[in-house]
Amino acid sequence: MSNNSGRPAFPAGQLPALAVTAAPLVLPLLSPGLIWLHSLIPMVTAFQMVTMGYQQGRAVVIMAMLVAGVVALFSGSLLVLFFGVSMIPLGYILARGIALGEPPNWTGTKGLIYLICFWLLLGSFAGITGSPGPVRVIQESIDHTLAAVVEEEEAAAVAMESLRRVFDRTWPALFTISLLSLVWLNLMASHWLLRRKDPALSPWPEFKHWRLPDQLVLVAALGLLLWLSRLEPVASIGLNMTIILGMLYFMQGLGIMSYMLARWQLPPLLRGICYALVLLQLYGPVLLAVLGLADVHLDLRRRYTDNTA
């Protein structure tokens, strides 16, 4: 089907896909409290482009952007739309990685590089124009909180001031792991949705088999040594490296936990309780990070498979 200009017309049968794709772009324009829906845009984009094919999926995404653009013009929320649209390239990266059969580690790395470059460019542009960058906005938010707390309780103010110092020292790691978490969650969600629709749509292994390159343990050891040196700014660099690698090994530890729960054939409800008990504990994520790091030498999943074969 084509329109009068000879270009392919938008098929009416794709309207449900268009509604699903446009929803995380449009709803935050109508209600700022729904801006968290932007985090779903990469997953939705990747899902449509893989299930519908590149050409049709791209047409749906472009049409969703046009619909959101019209809504943004009437609502005056062009800035919100800009941040939503910035998530679409990450969906393209995920879809291309799936289509080419790339390893999930490599696809996730490319997605992380894109997000870091985008926010660095945005911060540079903000600096050129005199507008506050993302880090400065967070710092001003902490300062505003400090000013409000000082009038109420001195002890709380001291705690908030310590929090501000910690943020000033570790913001590169906090910034990186926030983007890393966004990429990781969209990667896993895209894979899960595609496998539910058709196991042949995603070539990636299940998350319970996910594993970091063994060479990364050397980077983690270097970061820890730099942190323990207590020589600034080397120690701060080491601290940030340790936090980032800790997040990565936490993900690997979570994969090991997922593998063990699946091998024990626990029912879904009991698995959910186990995850909650570990993740909601103060030291639960730390223990999973240690488990993920220890797996470099222990290779628990292979050992368990060999022993039960």
Side-chain angles (χ1 to χ4, degrees), residues 19 24-25 54 56 58 69 75 82 84 100 105 108 131 149 156 203 229 249 251 261 278 281 291:
L25 282 169
Y54 178 78
Q56 292 187 0
R58 183 180 65 173
S75 64
F82 170 75
L100 297 178
N105 287 349
S131 303
V149 171
S229 71
Y249 282 109
M251 294 176 182
L261 294 179
V278 173
Q281 296 294 321
L291 176 63

Side-chain angles (χ1 to χ4, degrees), residues 194-247:
L194 291 170
R195 280 294 181 94
R196 281 185 65 87
K197 184 175 180 64
D198 184 354
L201 288 175
S202 177
W204 291 339
E206 296 296 332
F207 170 67
K208 62 185 178 181
H209 298 296
W210 182 72
R211 182 180 176 87
L212 289 168
D214 290 345
Q215 295 81 357
L216 273 182
V217 70
L218 300 177
V219 181
L222 175 61
L224 186 60
L225 288 175
L226 294 178
W227 180 23
L228 295 177
S229 71
R230 299 184 179 275
L231 299 174
E232 295 294 346
V234 174
S236 292
I237 295 174
L239 175 59
N240 283 275
M241 291 172 59
T242 301
I243 294 174
I244 294 172
L245 268 297
M247 180 64 180

Side-chain angles (χ1 to χ4, degrees), residues 12-97:
Q14 294 179 1
L15 290 178
L18 173 60
V20 172
T21 308
L25 282 169
V26 173
L27 293 178
L29 302 174
L30 304 177
S31 176
L34 296 176
I35 199 168
W36 59 270
L37 288 173
H38 283 169
S39 62
L40 305 180
I41 293 174
M43 172 192 67
V44 174
T45 301
F47 181 82
Q48 302 296 5
M49 294 193 68
V50 173
T51 57
M52 303 178 69
Y54 178 78
Q55 295 297 335
Q56 292 187 0
R58 183 180 65 173
V60 168
V61 173
I62 292 175
M63 185 61 67
M65 292 170 60
L66 293 176
V67 171
V70 173
V71 175
L73 286 175
F74 284 98
S75 64
S77 304
L78 291 175
L79 183 60
V80 176
L81 176 63
F82 170 75
F83 286 109
V85 170
S86 70
M87 293 290 102
I88 291 178
L90 177 57
Y92 274 77
I93 292 173
L94 297 179
R96 180 172 176 80

Side-chain angles (χ1 to χ4, degrees), residues 86-87 90 111-120 179 182-183:
S86 70
M87 293 290 102
L90 177 57
L112 179 62
I113 291 173
Y114 159 70
L115 289 179
I116 290 176
C117 291
F118 168 78
W119 282 101
L120 289 178
L179 299 183
L182 176 64
V183 173

